[in-house]
Amino acid sequence: MAAGQNDGDVAELSMIVCHCNAITDHEIRSAVDWMRAANPDTIVTPGKVYRALGKQAECGGCMSVFLDTMRSCDTLKVPVQLRGLCRASKEGAGS
């Protein structure tokens, strides 16, 4: 039986995104989902994903793929109540 398969079930294959830390796309998505479930108002960043996985960024060569993987998560979106805060604070400071 091939790795990742269970008695005829076809398992999704994982892609290594960060070679320095052997972090897969599934681990990134799981960390994003976990953080959003734990606190729906949190802003999810790559640094927070690394910390949630007990790792830290090393060379940064994976960052574009890491970010693309994060963006592919349905739960990554910024909570509605937090959207536009930066714009609102700049507008308020200019008055």
Side-chain angles (χ1 to χ4, degrees):
M1 188 177 318
Q5 291 184 338
N6 300 324
D7 298 330
D9 292 338
V10 177
E12 255 187 75
L13 297 176
S14 293
M15 174 179 72
I16 297 286
V17 173
C18 175
H19 286 77
C20 296
N21 289 296
I23 297 173
T24 67
D25 57 332
H26 293 275
E27 290 172 315
I28 294 169
R29 288 188 191 97
S30 293
V32 169
D33 292 344
W34 174 78
M35 283 187 276
R36 183 62 72 213
N39 181 355
D41 295 335
T42 193
I43 301 295
V44 180
T45 66
K48 288 182 180 179
V49 172
Y50 272 102
R51 283 190 293 280
L53 296 172
K55 316 257 179 169
Q56 63 183 17
E58 291 189 23
C59 76
C62 64
M63 202 47 63
S64 63
V65 178
F66 199 99
L67 288 168
D68 287 344
T69 304
M70 287 177 61
R71 288 183 191 117
S72 72
C73 298
D74 293 334
T75 57
L76 181 67
K77 294 178 178 59
V78 175
V80 174
Q81 65 273 22
L82 299 178
R83 293 181 191 166
L85 288 181
C86 183
R87 182 175 45 247
S89 67
K90 287 179 184 176
E91 290 171 358
S95 347

